[in-house]
Amino acid sequence: MLKKYLNSSMLSLWHQIIDDAQNIILIGHSSPDGDAMGATLAMFHYLKALKKSPVVIMPNTFPDFLCWIPGSQEVLNVQHNYDKAWRIFQKADAVICLDFSAYNRIDEMNQWLDESRRPRIIIDHHLNPELNADLLVSDPQACSTSEIVYCLLTQLGYDNLMTKECAMCIYCGMMTDTGGFIYNSNRPEIYYIISQLLEKGIDKDKIYRNVYNNYSVNRMRLMGYILNEKMVYLEEYKTSYFSITRDEMLRFHFKKGDAEGLVNLPLSIKGSILSVSLREDSEKELIRLSLRSVGEFPCNKMAAEYFNGGGHLNAAGGTLYCTMEEAIAIVNKAIKDYAPLLKDNKC
Ligand code: 5GP
Ligand code: MN
């Protein structure tokens, strides 16, 4: 039932790279989400079981609500620990990149990868991988990179040995990339994998609470404020958008991760098709956009055409280098240009 991602030549390449390597670096994308953390740490637990010395390096910090993931406390972060991360990266015998395959997803680590001559494996579920790899495992149909990792580890014979910790990581990635199994989650294989993870003793209800019922009071109030005062709903286009400025972030004592999931909320409006959020970056002069849709509306296409970004059909992101007012004007233009898909959508 599960996909076998490695054909025989890929399998021998996998062994050639991993069997010979001791120091293996695992990299996830900037602003790591549940899938980036889950997939890298699942692989981390597997490699430890093989008596390797894996190290997970992320470009920056992960949000607090992921601190329960087994192994997360050992994750190195380039923003806080540049020298140590660089030293360790240089000693790598092999590098595995998980949950990204585009150049702009790892900040300054892009240059590290560019200059590295170490064997490189990429495991990802985003469309159109850009980065070069000695071995590319890419499946845009997978609900998450963590799902691909589960299938790979099973193919590599680890399923019987898989620890509860590793299973928790995989479940976290699958759950968060499907918004708690409410989108991109209709393939039966997903539930077969979950049944196997439950056999490992994971407490899926607790994982859900850890991720989704873990708001600070400030975050809850920010959510209310956005829905009440900031959300614009364009009835004609069945689309909503909202913005968050730096001042508003200060007012609500914004912490990294507090914006996570907010963009999904307007999709609960009956008949709603598209939701867009715009957030001023807390450090750099740029606006981060997130897009979520229901049905066939292509968020990734809109993100690539208008917001210098990309992603998946129902979840994408991008960046604009302008003022918030200008960004909102671009969002309005994008929505109007996509009117045919929004007005006649019968999802
Ligand atoms: P989020 O809204 O959570 O930041 O991102 C949603 C999805 O879009 C994620 O799967 C992420 O990988 C993808 N994504 C976000 N920003 C970008 C971007 O700038 N470029 C590309 N190619 N994908 C992005
Ligand atoms: Mn992912």
Side-chain angles (χ1 to χ4, degrees):
M1 186 181 206
L2 292 183
K3 285 190 186 170
K4 284 194 165 48
Y5 283 107
L6 305 174
N7 62 28
S8 62
S9 64
M10 288 165 89
L11 190 61
S12 58
L13 191 53
W14 175 279
H15 283 297
Q16 212 175 307
I17 294 172
I18 298 300
D19 294 357
D20 287 348
Q22 182 58 36
N23 300 313
I24 301 174
I25 303 299
L26 304 162
I27 302 175
H29 57 76
S30 179
S31 298
D33 58 9
D35 189 31
M37 289 289 286
T40 49
L41 284 167
M43 195 52 85
F44 172 82
H45 292 297
Y46 167 68
L47 292 170
K48 279 209 144 178
L50 294 184
K51 304 271 179 280
K52 306 281 181 187
S53 311
V55 179
V56 175
I57 305 183
M58 296 288 183
N60 51 17
T61 44
F62 58 85
D64 279 353
F65 66 79
L66 295 175
C67 70
W68 56 272
I69 303 182
S72 63
Q73 301 313 314
E74 291 177 60
V75 170
L76 268 182
N77 134 21
V78 173
Q79 219 172 35
H80 287 171
N81 240 323
Y82 189 97
D83 291 342
K84 187 172 179 195
W86 172 235
R87 235 180 10 256
I88 290 177
F89 182 84
Q90 280 176 307
K91 281 200 225 135
D93 300 317
V95 177
I96 309 182
C97 302
L98 296 114
D99 202 36
F100 71 94
S101 45
Y103 289 103
N104 66 354
R105 298 288 285 144
I106 46 169
D107 307 341
E108 61 256 75
M109 286 184 85
N110 195 21
Q111 202 181 338
W112 299 12
L113 269 192
D114 228 20
E115 290 165 8
S116 164
R117 295 285 155 263
R118 297 300 173 216
R120 183 187 307 165
I121 298 173
I122 292 178
I123 305 171
D124 189 27
H125 68 135
H126 292 94
L127 288 167
N128 310 324
E130 290 171 8
L131 286 166
N132 290 325
D134 298 285
L135 180 57
L136 172 68
V137 182
S138 163
D139 181 8
Q141 283 186 331
C143 77
S144 55
T145 302
S146 298
E147 179 189 342
I148 304 177
V149 168
Y150 181 85
C151 295
L152 271 178
L153 297 187
T154 301
Q155 187 179 359
L156 293 164
Y158 182 59
D159 48 337
N160 286 328
L161 302 169
M162 183 178 284
T163 58
K164 179 177 163 187
E165 286 71 29
C166 183
M168 286 167 75
C169 296
I170 288 170
Y171 187 80
C172 174
M174 292 175 66
M175 182 188 80
T176 52
D177 259 22
T178 55
F181 304 103
I182 60 162
Y183 51 80
N184 198 16
S185 54
N186 282 333
R187 291 170 31 259
E189 296 94 303
I190 293 175
Y191 301 93
Y192 171 74
I193 295 173
I194 294 172
S195 73
Q196 300 304 297
L197 299 175
L198 288 167
E199 295 283 354
K200 300 292 175 193
I202 66 163
D203 182 343
K204 77 172 194 48
D205 302 347
K206 188 165 177 203
I207 293 176
Y208 184 95
R209 287 196 303 278
N210 281 341
V211 171
Y212 295 113
N213 297 356
N214 196 10
Y215 297 161
S216 65
V217 175
N218 284 319
R219 205 276 196 186
M220 204 70 187
R221 293 202 191 285
L222 172 68
M223 196 162 116
Y225 168 73
I226 285 171
L227 293 180
N228 193 37
E229 297 189 30
K230 299 302 300 279
M231 185 183 79
V232 175
Y233 187 64
L234 305 170
E235 183 82 48
E236 192 186 350
Y237 302 97
K238 303 177 193 79
T239 294
S240 51
Y241 67 83
F242 63 81
S243 60
I244 314 177
T245 64
R246 225 172 272 165
D247 284 349
E248 288 163 334
M249 289 193 251
L250 278 176
R251 194 172 136 198
F252 289 95
H253 307 279
F254 188 91
K255 283 218 296 290
K256 203 176 166 66
D258 278 357
E260 199 83 21
L262 290 179
V263 65
N264 292 309
L265 298 174
L267 288 182
S268 306
I269 298 170
K270 189 177 178 188
S272 172
I273 292 172
L274 175 65
S275 170
V276 182
S277 72
L278 305 95
R279 184 169 58 83
E280 279 180 355
D281 191 85
S282 48
E283 284 140 28
K284 297 178 203 147
E285 288 303 320
L286 54 85
I287 313 263
R288 280 287 309 160
L289 290 99
S290 285
L291 292 84
R292 299 290 185 274
S293 71
V294 174
E296 298 303 313
F297 185 86
C299 291
N300 45 4
K301 203 157 161 264
M302 183 184 255
E305 265 175 53
Y306 289 88
F307 312 130
N308 307 304
H312 314 276
L313 189 76
N314 296 130
T319 308
L320 287 173
Y321 303 88
C322 58
T323 66
M324 184 58 92
E325 272 158 41
E326 287 162 342
I328 289 174
I330 295 171
V331 166
N332 273 291
K333 172 152 180 30
I335 293 167
K336 291 199 170 91
D337 290 351
Y338 271 79
L341 290 185
L342 292 165
K343 285 184 166 176
D344 304 326
N345 197 314
K346 297 191 185 55
C347 328

